[in-house]
Amino acid sequence: MSTWDAEVAVVGLGGWGACALWQIASRGVDALGIEQFHPGHGWGASHGGSRMFRITCLEHPELVPLARRSLELWHELADLSDTSLFENRGGLLIGPEDGRIVGGTLRAALHHGIPLEHMAPTTLRERFGQHAELGPDDIAVWEPSAGILRPEDAVRAATQLARSAGARVVTGTRVHSVELVSGGVELETGGGLLRVRQAVMTIGSWLASLLPGLALTPLRMPITWFRSATGDSRFELDRFPVFMRELPGAEVLWGNGSEKEHGVKLGLEVHGRAPRPIDPDTDDRCVVSEDWAELTGVLGRYLPGLEPAPSQVSVCMLTTTPDGQFVIGRPGGDPRLILAGGCNGHGFKHASGIGELLADLVTHTPPPMPLDFVSPDRVALR
């Protein structure tokens, strides 16, 4: 009788972990998924009803092929699960032509041949007049391939497909320690000790505390929704698609229009100044006015017509790395352990493709893209 509980354990079944378990199990590998909450929960980084998808990845040129593959896999996941996961409504990028958002988008599009539509300020005002106070240097680009993903539905769909492919899924169980042993890994859980040949750690903000030798910082990221002040339809999703807009002072306003029971989803990123660092186990998830004060301070100027206070607020977590890139790979080349984390706030759109990359690593299949820029060794504390 084997002393191993599985060939592979995927620890953490958020976006990355659920997609990894699906891909690993689909290759016939004996796989076990472990989740401390339940698939599609709202305590990590894979929730909030919608996530922006775009192929023009301004964060790193090597991410564009990953985004393209991810889109193919999102469609595959949707077809196999008979679930609507992606809405291709296009996306808007606004700001100075040489700025971080528009400039990075244009460079990615040029390098990879991505079709974009350039909008002059007059065209932008005609088509998307909700955006006010455009700067004298602002332009806009329209990415037809962009849209929104449904994170909770995607996690549940990938987890179910993993089960259908033979994976065992254990929920409500937390991994308290990870010990590398001869030939594999021992995982101490609330339900007892599990022994596996390989462990894939996709636990989001908990990665920093379970494996403290990495330069990862968990951050609190409030998510806010707003209602139209007049109740008109110009802020509904079909007229107000996903966008990122660079404001003066390096602030980035982002969001998408209202739909169903949700209002207009908005957030504010201040480049160079991170949200508040947190401990994912002890942070108070209750919301307070400071969670949206800075955002509401700019809405009246740049998106007039919305109520001054949010109609709904939630707290998401993200995990950052010093260089803003993901952490994916085997630390020190160890054949027993694979780490995947550091979403840096732009990781969910790549979750399906990252799941495939992790399955490649598990099965020792050469990945379709270089992974040096996301190596765990570059963020190891020394």
Side-chain angles (χ1 to χ4, degrees):
M1 180 176 177
S2 172
T3 60
W4 302 100
D5 295 290
E7 283 296 311
V8 179
V10 178
V11 183
L13 300 181
W16 291 14
C19 288
L21 188 65
W22 163 42
Q23 291 289 328
I24 293 167
S26 296
R27 300 186 189 192
V29 178
D30 176 27
L32 170 67
I34 306 171
E35 169 56 53
Q36 65 174 319
F37 301 113
H38 60 270
H41 67 82
W43 294 94
S46 298
H47 65 99
S50 63
R51 284 289 189 276
M52 183 179 190
F53 178 87
R54 52 191 164 82
I55 290 177
T56 51
C57 299
L58 55 96
E59 295 83 5
H60 195 283
E62 295 294 347
L63 291 177
V64 171
L66 179 62
R68 283 177 162 152
R69 177 56 180 156
S70 295
L71 183 56
E72 294 174 352
L73 289 169
W74 287 128
H75 287 306
E76 180 180 331
L77 178 60
D79 290 342
L80 290 173
S81 63
D82 194 24
T83 307
S84 178
L85 299 178
F86 174 63
E87 294 188 39
N88 177 206
R89 296 174 177 266
L92 192 63
L93 295 305
I94 306 172
E97 187 169 3
D98 60 352
R100 185 167 65 95
I101 300 302
V102 171
T105 298
L106 292 174
R107 286 190 293 273
L110 179 64
H111 184 70
H112 292 279
I114 303 168
L116 295 177
E117 176 187 345
H118 292 65
M119 287 188 195
T122 53
T123 306
L124 176 61
R125 292 187 186 99
E126 290 171 1
R127 290 179 59 179
F128 303 106
Q130 304 93 330
H131 289 278
E133 287 283 329
L134 297 173
D137 299 323
D138 281 350
I139 66 166
V141 292
W142 175 257
E143 182 186 328
S145 52
I148 57 175
L149 291 163
R150 305 297 181 190
E152 293 94 338
D153 290 343
V155 168
R156 287 189 284 263
T159 304
Q160 185 53 50
L161 285 180
R163 282 193 174 107
S164 298
R168 289 163 288 155
V169 176
V170 179
T171 61
T173 299
R174 178 166 179 171
V175 172
H176 296 290
S177 69
V178 178
E179 183 177 355
L180 300 177
V181 297
S182 177
V185 183
E186 290 185 346
L187 304 171
E188 182 186 347
T189 77
L193 188 68
L194 294 172
R195 303 181 76 246
V196 295
R197 294 285 189 181
Q198 296 184 66
V200 181
M201 307 302 297
T202 50
I203 51 176
S205 293
W206 284 270
L207 193 60
S209 53
L210 192 60
L211 298 167
L214 301 171
L216 299 172
T217 305
L219 302 175
R220 176 186 173 97
M221 176 59 73
I223 308 174
T224 49
W225 290 263
F226 292 79
R227 298 291 185 189
S228 167
T230 59
D232 61 28
S233 62
R234 67 195 184 103
F235 282 105
E236 293 180 2
L237 182 60
D238 58 349
R239 298 177 60 185
F240 192 60
V242 291
F243 74 92
M244 296 177 70
R245 179 178 174 184
E246 188 170 358
L247 306 178
E251 295 175 325
V252 176
L253 183 63
W254 55 264
N256 61 258
S258 63
E259 52 176 345
K260 300 176 183 177
E261 72 276 12
H262 292 297
V264 181
K265 184 179 180 180
L266 296 170
L268 186 68
E269 172 195 346
V270 181
H271 190 53
R273 191 178 86 238
R276 176 166 62 85
I278 61 170
D279 181 325
D281 287 318
T282 61
D283 183 65
D284 187 350
R285 301 303 177 89
C286 294
V287 297
V288 294
S289 59
E290 68 182 74
D291 285 326
W292 62 82
E294 194 166 12
L295 172 60
T296 56
V298 304
L299 286 188
R301 180 177 180 184
Y302 297 110
L303 290 177
L306 296 174
E307 293 285 354
S311 59
Q312 183 182 351
V313 184
S314 180
V315 174
C316 189
M317 290 193 299
L318 61 93
T319 308
T320 61
T321 58
D323 59 6
Q325 304 302 331
F326 306 145
V327 171
I328 301 172
R330 297 184 182 276
D334 196 305
R336 299 164 294 182
L337 188 64
I338 298 171
L339 307 182
C343 69
N344 288 284
H346 62 93
F348 189 86
K349 62 179 162 292
H350 300 291
S352 58
I354 287 173
E356 186 175 63
L357 280 178
L358 294 173
D360 287 341
L361 290 172
V362 163
T363 58
H364 305 285
T365 302
M369 60 178 281
L371 296 179
D372 290 347
F373 76 104
V374 293
S375 168
D377 295 338
R378 81 185 198 286
V379 296
L381 296 174
R382 292 174 172 81

